[in-house]
Amino acid sequence: MWIRNGKNSFQVHSGCCTEDRFKEEKERKQGEQLRDNCCNSGSEKSQGMLALSISPNRRYLAISETVQEKPAITIYELSSIPCRKRKVLNNFDFQVQKFISMAFSPDSKYLLAQTSPPESNLVYWLWEKQKVMAIVRIDTQNNPVYQVSFSPQDNTQVCVTGNGMFKLLRFAEGTLKQTNFQRGEPQNYLAHTWVADDKIVVGTDTGKLFLFESGDQRWETSIMVKEPTDGSKSLDVIQESESLIEFPPVSSPLPSYEQMVAASSHSQMSMPQVFAIAAYSKGFACSAGPGRVLLFEKMEEKDFYRESREIRIPVDPQSNDPSQSDKQDVLCLCFSPSEETLVASTSKNQLYSITMSLTEISKGEPAHFEYLMYPLHSAPITGLATCIRKPFIATCSLDRSIRLWNYETNTLELFKEYQEEAYSISLHPSGHFIVVGFADKLRLMNLLIDDIRSFKEYSVRGCGECSFSNGGHLFAAVNGNVIHVYTTTSLENISSLKGHTGKIRSIVWNADDSKLISGGTDGAVYEWNLSTGKRETECVLKSCSYNCVTVSPDAKIIFAVGSDHTLKEIADSLILREISAFDVTYTAIVISHSGRMMFVGTSVGTIRAMKYPLPLQKEFNEYQAHAGPITKMLLTFDDQFLLTAAEDGCLFTWKVFDKDGRGIKREREVGFAEEVLVTKTDMEEKAQVMLELKTRVEELKMENEYQLRLKDMNYSEKIKELTDKFIQEMESLKTKNQVLRTEKEKQDVYHHEHIEDLLDKQSRELQEMECCNNQKLLLEYEKYQELQLKSQRMQEEYEKQLRDNDETKSQALEELTEFYEAKLQEKTTLLEEAQEDVRQQLREFEETKKQIEEDEDREIQDIKTKYEKKLRDEKESNLRLKGETGIMRKKFSSLQKEIEERTNDIETLKGEQMKLQGVIKSLEKDIQGLKREIQERDETIQDKEKRIYDLKKKNQELGKFKFVLDYKIKELKKQIEPRENEIRVMKEQIQEMEAELENFHKQNTQLELNITELWQKLRATDQEMRRERQKERDLEALVKRFKTDLHNCVAYIQEPRLLKEKVRGLFEKYVQRADMVEIAGLNTDLQQEYARQREHLERNLATLKKKVVKEGELHRTDYVRIMQENVSLIKEINELRRELKFTRSQVYDLEAALKLTKKVRPQEVSETEPSRDMLSTAPTARLNEQEETGRIIEMQRLEIQRLRDQIQEQEQVTGFHTLAGVRLPSLSNSEVDLEVKTN
């Protein structure tokens, strides 16, 4: 069998910067024409994609890959469908580990590629012929290089940016030479783009933008992050100098986010990092910190760019922490070819887009991105599930999200994020429920129409595997090395399967759900019988850690894959055979429901399709898919689609075909279900919303009718004004036209006379010029012949002299050679005696020989240059004469041009006349256009009336729909009621049993809770009392001020004028403008609206009052209980005080009996003061004790008073009345009682 990547398959971005960058850039470069069939897999045995580049003519795509640990560049031809490989560059004569950035030349013939450190070579290719034109090392300090690019107009000019480097290079004579010199401090340049032939704009990690022209800095601006008062960050551009240019299209791809962040870790956190720059016709866009993009536009008057717009990543309402969605960095920006759409990719592997027309409409407020397709996974996918009744795929990931996909429509149905990471997921066959294994619990959830809600939780921590049975009546969940089996009807644990000694990695049900197969890291594969809860078969191999198991449709053979690089066939506790995986580890396995094919996922991200029964030899088809190990693999129920998920965060759907290219067809008896789950509260809320919308529609109708009347009146007035204005203009234009006609006739007569005079004068001047020029030409021709003869003679003489010089030179050389040969013979005889002397003489000889030859060459060169100068002078004189003749010809041609200009003037005057006639016609057309506008507006009014009628019809249909829904809801309630009664009876029994257990705990904790509630309520009422007292004091102060001002006014009662001014001043001082309401002038429509709203509010008020009364009756018993407890507490306090008084009196009596102190009653102490002579240490102690008791009594009295006030305030609350017969003792009586007892 074969599998193909589905035409409508969707991919989810991963956390790695290889596979997702390939998809992201492909969508980015295609702009508005996203084609699914262009998403091809990489080369065979590819280990990941590192960089890519698209040619300017949009025909070729270059991809940097690592194939079998070797770098390679694959070039695809995009014009063919599907894309096909054009060239593969994989044989290199230089050292290279990987290519990190690439760019095509403007004519798409050359390819520029940058290698990674430590080589850091820049390679210039003629890629069609696989020929390296030039290679140069960019950096010797192992600094990262982020981007390379060609000039948009010049194949030979190249730009390279990186950490501390900005280099411009030019290709000439087979080498790349640097043309600029860096000045100032080096910056970490993250992104750049070409503006013109020699102008580049560059962004840094400190939020700066630079403009370089021919390598020199011309412009600079800094982007700063400011903290506004509302707590949200806003970005402003500061330190702007004049911009000189307008910016070009986007450059080549960016480097990885991790690499740039590591290189810029030394930069300040307050500075936004410019990871991406993209340009369009009006200016350019750049990333400016987390979640933000700034648009710069060129001003009209000068070459100056200013910030025109801010675009933000929106807050995701489905996210667990919505504030985190706008904290992701924008790594790549690109405009579509038509500049209608801006696409951005982020550090969390999300794709966003925005239409540029929206940014222009909503000026003044920040614009917001939208998801390009849907929110994607940003971490490895850990769980994958599908169902039978619906075309759903459920995935969970380490990014703490659950997503529900539709593989028929290729859309995201549901998405929700949680607090904990999700490790496993399973879909019920009906598609209405899911079970998810989180880090803290196992949760059973409902899939509602717009939400995922949990309705049962189990204390299973870190559930790595879970699965619904094929019938859906059971589900299994793994807890470490134990498998728990639950029923979906009563949601109880019916059995726990124990036997594994290691972590269980995979579980699978057989076709009839009677057995469960499990495999784990302990090397054991067990087959469990669910009716007995015991193992039926087992196969243990300690040396292998199993990753995945599956079972054949007839449940006779178990297939298992693990860490030993083999695929095992197990039956009756024995391994029938092992099939080698050929140097890879199998991580997932699945067999079709028909039993004809098997698919295996590997640790390198490939998929292998095999026949079943399994062949003996290496017979399988291998497909490159993911950039990481495959974690989960499933087949849909009809065997038409294969689903794969991996650690790279991607989800692939594959269409399954046979050898002849035909799809696998299994006829479905029943189509996919369309039912969805909806809660009762949601239905009620939607019904309420429908009612509110109906009332809103009626209100809008009234408003629209009123607005239409006003607009009709305004338009009629404007039409009258415009008609009067155009009539006046037409009359003025008619008078102007008559004046211009008379002037034109006069000008025609004058120009005819003037042209005749000019023609006569020109003919005379032409005859005179021809005679003069003929004579001059004859003289010049004679001079030219004489000079030509002279030059020939001089040339012959120079040639003779050159021949003589050559002969003399050859003779001199012969003589010199003979002379030096004789000397050489003498030197050879002396060489035997002393070798050192001979070597020195030989060197001297060679030096003298070179000097003589150089002198001779120099003399010959001087002679040659001398005669060449003479020849040049003669030629220049000849050219000068030719120039004079040319000047005469130019004068002749200039006269002809003057004649033509005169004729052109006449034609321009005629053209002006035609323009004036055209203006008159255009004004007539404007009048007709205004009439058409009046007709069109009448038609629009009729269309709006039709629309209002259609809305009324829709309202009637909605009412019918509501009636049908109400009837369905009643029927559903009738079906649910018997079940609910049974559930209610069972719940009551359970509650009675639980109530007996909880009563003991409640009795112990109830008193403590009541006391804390009382204290909280007392504190709250105390605070409210203080606020009310403060308000009262403020109002009293205001009244006092008003009284004093009024008293001052009374003094001027005899002076009416001053009294009037003073009263007016009081009015302006104390009466606010908001208190004065103009009531006059209300029309009947407003009065009706006011009456309707008043009735609505009165009805709402009545319902709220009823609710308050009901709540008061419910809480009355609680308030009575609190009051009774307060009474008992006060009684206890009084009893304690009596006991305290009694004990103190006993202490005094005992002290008097022991003659330690004089017995003094409190009355005596208060009435008579002891003399200073009688004071001693004992009486002072006695007085201190009395003061202490008095202070304590006073504090308690104040506390009691405060509690009573709070109780009285609570009694005055609306709907609360104390029961008869329950009264607290009055404060006055208790105080008197206390005073008597203390005395």
Side-chain angles (χ1 to χ4, degrees), residues 807-825:
E807 290 174 358
T808 53
K809 180 185 174 185
S810 61
Q811 289 175 1
L813 283 170
E814 287 175 0
E815 290 174 358
L816 286 167
T817 52
E818 289 175 0
F819 175 71
Y820 285 116
E821 282 176 359
K823 277 189 179 183
L824 276 171
Q825 290 175 0

Side-chain angles (χ1 to χ4, degrees), residues 517-761:
I517 296 91
S518 64
T521 57
D522 55 355
V525 176
Y526 294 146
E527 185 177 1
W528 306 85
N529 190 328
L530 293 179
S531 59
T532 61
K534 295 181 180 179
R535 290 188 297 234
E536 283 197 351
T537 62
E538 60 182 36
C539 179
V540 181
L541 187 64
K542 298 284 186 181
S543 61
C544 177
S545 175
Y546 288 110
N547 295 323
C548 187
V549 295
T550 189
V551 64
S552 61
D554 57 3
K556 292 181 180 179
I557 300 173
I558 299 168
F559 301 93
V561 293
S563 59
D564 60 350
H565 307 290
T566 59
L567 166 62
K568 296 179 178 60
E569 236 181 292
I570 302 169
D572 297 328
S573 302
L574 296 174
I575 299 174
L576 299 181
R577 59 173 171 160
E578 296 183 1
I579 300 167
S580 174
F582 305 100
D583 300 328
V584 296
T585 303
Y586 287 148
T587 57
I589 184 170
V590 66
I591 189 168
S592 66
H593 299 89
S594 63
R596 293 171 52 201
M597 50 195 168
M598 183 181 290
F599 302 99
V600 186
T602 68
S603 59
V604 295
T606 58
I607 297 170
R608 293 180 178 177
M610 305 177 182
K611 290 181 182 177
Y612 183 75
L614 295 173
L616 297 173
Q617 289 128 3
K618 186 180 177 181
E619 291 182 13
F620 55 80
N621 295 321
E622 190 165 10
Y623 302 92
Q624 184 67 42
H626 296 272
I630 293 173
T631 55
K632 297 290 177 183
M633 183 183 291
L634 284 176
L635 272 165
T636 56
F637 184 70
D638 53 4
D639 289 340
Q640 291 193 7
F641 295 98
L642 175 69
L643 315 173
T644 60
E647 288 183 6
D648 60 357
C650 297
L651 170 65
F652 282 2
T653 60
W654 304 79
K655 182 74 174 174
V656 182
F657 291 86
D658 58 11
K659 282 185 179 180
D660 300 329
R662 294 174 298 183
I664 304 298
K665 291 184 179 178
R666 290 184 65 185
E667 294 184 0
R668 296 179 60 91
E669 296 179 359
V670 182
F672 286 124
E674 296 181 356
E675 295 83 8
V676 292
L677 293 180
V678 183
T679 62
K680 185 178 179 181
T681 55
D682 290 343
M683 289 291 293
E684 290 174 353
E685 286 175 3
K686 286 179 180 177
Q688 186 65 30
V689 169
M690 284 173 65
L691 289 172
E692 291 175 359
L693 287 171
K694 283 180 181 178
T695 55
R696 182 64 182 158
V697 165
E698 291 175 359
E699 291 172 1
L700 286 171
K701 283 179 183 177
M702 299 284 288
E703 288 178 5
N704 285 332
E705 289 175 0
Y706 180 67
Q707 292 293 331
L708 283 169
R709 288 195 209 106
L710 290 175
K711 284 180 180 177
D712 288 338
M713 292 169 68
N714 291 329
Y715 287 141
S716 60
E717 290 176 359
K718 286 181 181 178
I719 288 164
K720 286 179 183 177
E721 291 175 359
L722 288 169
T723 51
D724 295 336
K725 186 178 178 182
F726 282 120
I727 289 165
Q728 291 175 3
E729 288 181 356
M730 283 173 65
E731 290 176 355
S732 64
L733 286 169
K734 284 178 181 178
T735 54
K736 284 182 183 178
N737 193 11
Q738 290 175 358
V739 172
L740 289 169
R741 280 179 181 174
T742 54
E743 289 181 356
K744 183 215 167 203
E745 291 172 356
K746 291 177 182 178
Q747 290 287 333
D748 287 339
V749 174
Y750 173 73
H751 282 299
H752 281 301
E753 294 174 354
H754 188 62
I755 286 164
E756 289 174 357
D757 295 337
L758 286 172
L759 288 171
D760 295 335
K761 193 186 286 185

Side-chain angles (χ1 to χ4, degrees), residues 98-137:
K98 56 186 177 180
F99 294 97
I100 57 175
S101 182
M102 297 182 297
F104 277 99
S105 62
D107 58 1
S108 305
K109 291 182 180 179
Y110 299 97
L111 181 68
L112 199 65
Q114 175 65 45
T115 66
S116 63
E119 295 87 9
S120 297
N121 289 325
L122 182 66
V123 188
Y124 191 94
W125 257 303
L126 181 62
W127 63 270
E128 284 279 5
K129 297 182 180 179
Q130 300 186 8
K131 181 181 178 182
V132 177
M133 305 296 290
I135 184 170
V136 64
R137 187 168 185 181

